[in-house]
Amino acid sequence: MASNAEEKHVYRVQGFTCTNCAAIFEKNVKNLPGVQDAQVNFGAAKVTVFGEATVEELEKAGAFENLKIAPEKERAEVKKEPFWKAHGKVVISAVLLVVGYLLGRQLGEDHFFTAVVYAASILIGGYELFIRGIKNLVRLQFDMNTLMTVAILGAAAIGEWGEGATVVILFAISEVLERYSMEKARQSIRSLMDIAPKEALIRRGSKELMISVDDIQVGDIMIVKPGQKLAMDGVVVRGASTINQAAITGESVPVAKSVEDEVFAGTLNEEGLLEVKVTKRVEDTTISKIIHLVEEAQAERAPSQAFVDRFAKYYTPAIMILGLGIAVVPPLLLGGDWGEWIYRGLALLVVGCPCALVISTPVSIVTAIGNAAKNGVLIKGGIHLEEAGRLAAIAFDKTGTLTRGIPTVTEFITYGTQSENELLGIAAVIEKGSQHPLASAIIRKAEDENADLSPEIEEFHSITGKGVKAKVNGQLYYVGSPKLFSGLNQSGLPENIRTEIEGLQKQGKTVMVLGTDQQILALIAVADEVRDSSKNVMQQLHSLGIKKTIMLTGDNRATAEAIGSQLGVAEVKAELLPQDKLEFIKQLRREYDNVAMIGDGVNDAPALAASTVGIAMGGAGTDTALETADIALMADDLSKLPYTIRLSRKTLAIIKQNITFSLGIKLVALVLIVPGWLTLWLAIFADMGATLIVTLNSLRLLKVKGNLDK
C-alpha cells in the first residue's frame, strides 16, 4: 500500500446495492493503471484510492453497476430524475409482460407472437443485468447477476418465456427496493454531515462577512445570533447563552455557556448573542471527527459480517453446482424429463441468490452506528458494537466517571490555638505547588473564605504518594494523608484524631492532615460529588444481566467503599496505582472473558486498552478520548451506557434473525424443489421478499432511543 499521503484520495460513491458489487468495484479500481491500492467502504459508500485515477476512470471501473463517483469534499447534489426516466425500461418491460400474458390467453403460451412480446420484455428490462451477468460468467464470478442471467436465459431456452419475463420484472423491483433501503440506512450518517452550517458570519477588522467554512481561519471571530447553529468549534470570548448540544453529545437539556467556555460546530445557540474565537479548522472540528470516525467504523468488519462474507464466498459456487446437478443428474441417470429438471435447476439458482444473506449484517451495523452517533455515542467499529452486547463485567474509574470529578472541602477541623482562617491559608499556599487533584479543592476553599494567601513558601518538597512539605514563615509544615503523619510520629496519630478520621472516611470523604512533625493542626475532609445518574445506571446494568460491576480507584478504602455502597456497585477496589488497574482488568478478562473499562480516556489508557471494550466519558471535549477508546460517550452522561448495551444486543439479535431467516427461506425452497412446487417467479419473489424483510428488520434499529428504559 502506498504510504505517501499525497497519493491518497477519497471519493464518495453513489449506487452501491450489495457488498458483492462493492468487492467487484474494489477489484476493478485496484487494476486501474496508476493505482497501487484501493479500499472500498460499503457502509459509508466511499472508496479510498492510493495512487492516481480520474473520476472518469473510477466510473468506468464501476460501470457494471452504473456507479457515480465524486471527490469526498465536493458536495454531490443528488439529482432527482423523473420516475419515467429512472425506471422507464422497467415500466415498458412490465407493460410488455402484461401484453404477453393477454396474448398467451388468446393465442396460447407457445404462439410465436406471445414469445416475441415476452422476449422483448426480457431484453428491455434485463439488458443491463445480462451485460453484467455475462461478463461475470466469462470471469467465473458467481454473483446474483450471474445467477439471474443464467436462470432467465435458461427459462427462455426451454420455452418458459413468460416466467423469464416475470423474473426480470421482479428482480428489477427487488434492486430498486434494495437500493432505497440501503440509502435509508446510510441516511443516519448523511444527516450528521448536514448538522453544521456551511458558512458563518465572521468579523475581520471592522467588517462582518459571511464566509464559507473552508475559508475560515483559526483565530477568526465568529458571531452567532440567537437561533443560529455554530459553524465551527471555538471558545466564547464575549456574551453568554444556552447551547443545545444534542447533535454532538446527545444531551437534550441545553448547557449554559459564557466567556472561556468551549463550544462545538453543529450545536444550536438558543438565547444570547455570542462571539466565538475559532480554535479549529473545519476538517478538525468535533463534528468532522465524529463523521470521519463513524464512516471509518463502517469499514471495520464485525465478526458476524466476516462469517457471512466467508460463507457467501463458498455458498454461491455451491448453489451453481447444485443447480447444475438438479438439471442434469435426474434426466441422465433416472430418465427424468429434461425440460422439467432444467426448470427446477433454474428455480434453485434464483432462490439460491445470497443477496438477503450478504446484506443482512452490513445494513444492521450501518444503521446501529448511525443511530448511536445521533444519540451522542461514538462506536468505532462493528466489532466493538457486537462486543458491547456480550459484556459480562464492567469496571468503572471513580473520579470523573461515577463522580463529577470536582472535589470540594466539606469539613475543616482545627486543633490547637491557631485560627481556622490562618491554617486554611497555610494549607492553600503549600498546595499551590502540589499536583495532587485535591489541592484545587483546598485552594478554592481558601479563596472563598478570603484566607491570607500572601505568605511565601520555602523548601517545597513532594513526598511521593503521601503528601507535600514546605516552610511557611520559617516553620516547616506537612500536608498529606494520615499515613504520612503516622510515619512522622513514632507513637502514631492520637486516638481521638484517628477516630475522627475514620468517621469522616466512612462517610465517603478523603481526609488530609495539616501539621508539623510535632503536632496535628487540622483535618481537611474533601468529597467528590457523586453523579445523579450513577446509582440509576448501576441498577439498569444489573437488570440488564451484567454479572459484575466494579469500581476501581486510587482513593482510600473507606472512602471508596462508602461511595460504592451508596451507588450499589458490586465490588470496590481501592488504593490502586494505574498499573494495578491494568492487572485487575487482565484478571477480570480471565474470569469473565468480556469486560468493559469506562474512564475519562486520559488517565486510564492502559486499562482501557486492556479491556474488551474501552469506553471513554465526555469525548466531545477531549481528543484523547476519541482516539484511545473503542466507544466514546460524547456527553458526561453515564446513562448512555445502558442505552449502548441495549442497542448492541438489539443489533446482535437482529443480525441473528436476519441470517436465520435468509438461510431458512433457502432451505424451504430446496424442499419445495423436490415435488416441483417451486416456480421461477415464486423463487424470485421469495428471494426479493427475503432481502426486503431482512433490510426492513435492520432498519428497526433506527427506533432504539437514547433514553429508552426497556
Side-chain angles (χ1 to χ4, degrees):
M1 184 188 293
S3 58
N4 193 337
E6 277 86 34
E7 292 184 14
K8 178 180 169 182
H9 306 280
V10 183
Y11 301 88
R12 296 202 174 276
V13 185
Q14 274 185 354
F16 277 150
T17 51
C18 70
T19 51
N20 207 30
C21 313
I24 294 167
F25 176 59
E26 182 177 276
K27 190 176 176 184
N28 291 351
V29 173
K30 283 179 180 177
N31 290 331
L32 289 173
V35 173
Q36 283 93 35
D37 197 7
Q39 291 171 349
V40 167
N41 181 334
F42 173 67
K46 285 162 75 172
V47 59
T48 304
V49 178
F50 297 90
E52 292 296 331
T54 64
V55 169
E56 289 73 24
E57 285 176 321
L58 293 171
E59 287 192 342
K60 195 175 176 184
F64 70 96
E65 185 78 340
N66 199 24
L67 301 177
K68 298 292 175 214
I69 313 293
E72 184 183 29
K73 288 191 177 180
E74 192 178 291
R75 290 187 64 76
E77 288 183 30
V78 182
K79 293 176 183 174
K80 288 201 172 181
E81 289 185 299
F83 182 84
W84 64 268
K85 196 173 180 182
H87 308 296
K89 289 178 184 174
V90 180
V91 173
I92 294 167
S93 182
V95 170
L96 287 171
L97 175 65
V98 173
V99 172
Y101 173 74
L102 294 172
L103 280 174
R105 294 287 296 269
Q106 295 295 319
L107 306 174
E109 286 288 327
D110 300 328
H111 196 278
F112 173 73
F113 285 122
T114 309
V116 166
V117 173
Y118 277 142
S121 174
I122 289 171
L123 280 171
I124 292 168
Y127 175 74
E128 288 175 6
L129 165 68
F130 297 148
I131 297 295
R132 297 196 298 257
I134 290 164
K135 277 183 181 175
N136 289 347
L137 198 57
V138 170
R139 297 179 191 135
L140 295 178
Q141 289 176 344
F142 302 117
D143 67 354
M144 62 177 181
N145 295 307
T146 320
L147 295 179
M148 290 300 164
T149 301
V150 171
I152 294 161
L153 295 179
I158 60 171
E160 294 288 349
W161 292 98
E163 296 233 2
T166 309
V167 168
V168 166
I169 297 297
L170 289 173
F171 182 69
I173 294 168
S174 168
E175 278 202 313
V176 169
L177 291 172
E178 258 180 60
R179 197 163 295 189
Y180 167 77
S181 50
M182 193 65 211
E183 281 302 303
K184 182 83 174 163
R186 288 196 185 108
Q187 193 59 42
S188 56
I189 298 169
R190 201 168 291 123
S191 63
L192 288 172
M193 295 179 195
D194 299 326
I195 284 171
K198 299 297 166 243
E199 54 182 16
L201 185 63
I202 297 291
R203 181 189 295 130
R204 285 182 180 165
S206 58
K207 291 183 179 177
E208 292 184 2
L209 311 161
M210 283 300 288
I211 295 178
S212 164
V213 289
D214 294 321
D215 300 324
I216 295 173
Q217 302 295 320
V218 171
D220 277 343
I221 300 298
M222 177 172 67
I223 298 162
V224 191
K225 296 172 183 176
Q228 287 185 338
K229 280 187 176 180
L230 281 79
M232 306 288 281
D233 283 12
V235 173
V236 177
V237 290
R238 182 183 290 180
S241 184
T242 54
I243 301 273
N244 186 328
Q245 300 191 146
I248 301 286
T249 65
E251 297 168 284
S252 54
V253 180
V255 180
K257 297 283 183 180
S258 56
V259 175
E260 292 190 7
D261 284 339
E262 191 177 14
V263 288
F264 307 108
T267 57
L268 178 68
N269 180 22
E270 294 201 333
E271 294 169 355
L273 180 73
L274 291 178
E275 290 189 15
V276 176
K277 185 179 180 181
V278 175
T279 54
K280 293 176 184 173
R281 286 189 52 75
V282 64
E283 61 268 23
D284 299 323
T285 61
T286 303
I287 188 69
S288 296
K289 283 187 177 174
I290 291 171
I291 292 163
H292 175 72
L293 289 168
V294 167
E295 290 192 326
E296 290 306 302
Q298 317 299 340
E300 263 198 42
R301 286 198 186 316
S304 56
Q305 191 173 342
F307 158 75
V308 166
D309 289 349
R310 279 198 310 273
F311 183 84
K313 188 179 174 183
Y314 300 105
Y315 167 85
T316 311
I319 286 288
M320 290 287 285
I321 293 164
L322 190 58
L324 184 66
I326 286 174
V328 172
V329 173
L332 277 180
L333 301 182
L334 305 171
D337 178 65
W338 277 98
E340 183 188 336
W341 284 100
I342 288 173
Y343 181 87
R344 291 186 189 186
L346 295 174
L348 175 70
L349 289 188
V350 173
V351 83
C353 179
C355 214
L357 179 67
V358 169
I359 210 167
S360 61
T361 305
V363 178
S364 304
I365 300 289
V366 169
T367 308
I369 289 176
N371 179 6
K374 287 174 86 170
N375 280 290
V377 178
L378 189 56
I379 301 171
K380 289 166 66 175
I383 187 166
H384 310 307
L385 177 68
E386 287 197 12
E387 282 171 343
R390 299 192 180 102
L391 290 174
I394 302 177
F396 296 86
D397 176 38
K398 178 179 79 75
T399 308
T401 301
L402 295 172
T403 62
R404 293 188 186 279
I406 306 168
T408 51
V409 174
T410 56
E411 277 96 2
F412 193 92
I413 302 161
T414 59
Y415 301 95
T417 56
Q418 286 171 282
S419 70
E420 180 179 325
N421 202 280
E422 185 186 349
L423 291 172
L424 188 55
I426 291 167
V429 293
I430 294 172
E431 286 291 3
K432 273 187 176 178
S434 169
Q435 295 297 312
H436 196 279
L438 300 182
S440 59
I442 296 170
I443 296 162
R444 275 198 307 275
K445 174 77 171 172
E447 287 170 348
D448 291 345
E449 299 289 331
N450 295 318
D452 181 14
L453 300 177
S454 61
E456 293 291 322
I457 62 167
E458 300 170 301
E459 298 177 25
F460 177 89
H461 290 289
S462 177
I463 305 161
T464 308
K466 292 182 179 179
V468 291
K469 65 177 180 177
K471 278 187 176 179
V472 181
N473 299 327
Q475 171 68 53
L476 182 63
Y477 292 96
Y478 293 80
V479 182
S481 66
K483 278 184 184 175
L484 171 64
F485 286 87
S486 297
L488 286 174
N489 196 324
Q490 288 183 349
S491 58
L493 292 167
E495 185 64 34
N496 65 320
I497 292 177
R498 198 164 63 246
T499 307
E500 187 92 58
I501 290 169
E502 286 170 3
L504 290 166
Q505 287 177 340
K506 282 176 184 170
Q507 295 170 36
K509 294 167 184 176
T510 302
V511 181
M512 290 190 289
V513 183
L514 168 67
T516 65
D517 52 5
Q518 301 295 320
Q519 185 186 5
I520 304 292
L521 298 173
L523 297 183
I524 309 163
V526 179
D528 187 0
E529 198 179 341
V530 171
R531 289 181 189 273
D532 299 334
S533 60
S534 294
K535 188 173 183 180
N536 183 35
V537 166
M538 290 303 155
Q539 289 170 346
Q540 285 190 57
L541 291 175
H542 291 139
S543 68
L544 282 169
I546 298 296
K547 292 175 186 171
K548 190 144 199 165
T549 51
I550 311 103
M551 183 173 84
L552 307 179
T553 179
D555 217 333
N556 72 76
R557 180 159 301 282
T559 303
E561 285 181 350
I563 291 173
S565 62
Q566 185 185 336
L567 296 177
V569 180
E571 189 179 343
V572 173
K573 292 284 177 184
E575 299 173 10
L576 301 177
L577 296 170
Q579 60 264 36
D580 299 328
K581 290 184 183 180
L582 175 61
E583 285 306 314
F584 191 70
I585 291 291
K586 287 179 179 174
Q587 183 190 321
L588 275 175
R589 283 198 70 170
R590 287 192 292 271
E591 212 173 318
Y592 291 97
D593 203 24
N594 291 306
V595 176
M597 170 71 191
I598 178 161
D600 60 10
V602 182
N603 304 328
D604 301 307
L608 285 170
S611 59
T612 319
V613 184
I615 304 172
M617 284 281 284
T622 56
D623 288 345
T624 320
L626 290 178
E627 286 158 19
T628 57
D630 303 317
I631 296 174
L633 309 182
M634 299 305 285
D636 262 358
D637 185 2
L638 207 56
S639 66
K640 296 293 180 188
L641 182 59
Y643 153 75
T644 306
I645 292 169
R646 283 189 212 102
L647 178 69
S648 173
R649 289 183 180 177
K650 185 102 173 171
T651 307
L652 285 171
I654 281 177
I655 288 171
K656 283 176 186 168
Q657 289 165 14
N658 287 349
I659 292 171
T660 306
F661 180 75
S662 305
L663 293 175
I665 285 282
K666 310 297 178 199
L667 289 172
V668 169
L670 282 172
V671 172
L672 292 178
I673 282 174
V674 178
W677 294 346
L678 187 72
T679 60
L680 266 179
W681 68 267
L682 190 62
I684 183 70
F685 203 73
D687 181 65
M688 180 180 80
T691 305
L692 196 58
I693 288 168
V694 156
T695 311
L696 291 174
N697 192 35
S698 300
L699 293 178
R700 285 168 54 215
L701 289 163
L702 288 172
K703 293 184 176 174
V704 180
K705 297 286 189 288
N707 56 357
L708 198 68
D709 288 324
K710 290 183 184 174

